Structures are given as structure tokens and as C-alpha cells.
Amino acid sequence: TYLGAFLDDELGLSTGQIGLVFMVAGAGYLAGSLLAGGPIGRIPARMLIASANLVMAIALGLTLSASFGIAVTIALLSIAALAGAIGSVGTSALLTVETPAGTGATMTINSALMNLGSAGGGAIGGLLLATGGYSAMAIGLPLFAILAAALVWRR
């Protein structure tokens, strides 16, 4: 939600350049989806999700905590997107295997909860940004990703 503003405020990128950064990071997401559905899909889902969340936490924390320049920022965002996709595919795989309900109902509830999480995360991100700037987000967002990694280990 706040990535475009960060790229503008901290790196001085234009709208067109921000769009290109999003495109490159989107390629990272595509690569993560393909990897999770292929070669690394054999890793147990809980381990895959937790590991992906930890990688995403580190990449986002580094991105928002310091100015590494455009090239390193794009690389970190691509890594975060790759990890985010791996975690997303892993979550879907885990849910379909462990749900006591039907797959359709489980995925519908998952989608609703993800939307609720996005809304809540947007509010928390706005609060962090308003009270402490991007450095507060560099701490807060990774903490939530680390918490998610820890929670996925619980059955």
C-alpha cells in the first residue's frame, strides 16, 4: 500500500519509474509462484510458509530502513515479492490438505480473512507511517511477518 509513496519520498522516483519497479517486483512474484508450484513445492508447507515469511520480513525491513539506492531496493523488493508468492502458494496448499471442511468453503474463508487482514494491515501501516515514518514501518511490518512465521508452526 505504501510502497509507491516510499519510492517517491525516499528515492525520488517518478510515477513511471515506480510503475517499472512494480513490474520488476511483479516478475519476482511470478517467479515465486512458479517455484512454489514446482521445484520447492516438495518442501513441507509449514516450513515453506515460515521460511518465506522470514525472508520477506528481512527484505522488507531492509528496504524500508535505509536507502540502498534504486538497484538494491529493486532487488530487495523482488526478493520480498518472490517470498510473498511462495508463502501464498504454500498457504493455499496447506489449507487444502488440512481443512476439515470442503476446499471451496475453506478458500472462500481464506480469501475473506486475507481481505480483512489487508484492511487491518493498511490501517496499522498508516498508523506506523503517521507516528514514526518509514523507519517505524521497517520495524513493524517485519514483526508481523515474523509473527506469521511463528504462528504457522502451530497446528
Side-chain angles (χ1 to χ4, degrees):
T1 302
Y2 307 103
L3 182 57
F6 171 80
L7 294 171
D8 178 22
D9 292 346
E10 299 297 314
L11 297 179
L13 299 183
S14 69
T15 303
Q17 291 169 323
I18 292 168
L20 290 173
V21 171
F22 283 5
M23 181 185 71
V24 173
Y29 195 90
L30 172 65
S33 296
L34 294 173
L35 285 171
I40 64 172
R42 290 180 284 284
I43 297 171
R46 289 185 186 281
M47 181 185 298
L48 189 66
I49 298 164
S51 300
N53 278 347
L54 293 174
V55 169
M56 188 172 55
I58 292 166
L60 286 176
L62 288 172
T63 298
L64 295 169
S65 66
S67 181
F68 292 105
I70 295 169
V72 174
T73 298
I74 291 171
L76 288 168
L77 290 173
S78 296
I79 291 167
L82 182 130
I86 290 170
S88 180
V89 171
T91 298
S92 294
L94 181 66
L95 287 172
T96 58
V97 170
E98 293 193 1
T99 182
T103 304
T106 299
M107 289 304 148
T108 300
I109 291 169
N110 178 55
S111 179
L113 291 174
M114 292 297 281
N115 288 332
L116 180 62
S118 292
I124 293 168
L127 180 63
L128 290 171
L129 187 57
T131 58
Y134 293 109
S135 58
M137 291 182 77
I139 296 167
L141 295 180
L143 286 176
F144 280 104
I146 291 167
L147 176 63
L151 289 174
V152 78
W153 285 109
R154 298 187 63 180
R155 285 208 170 262

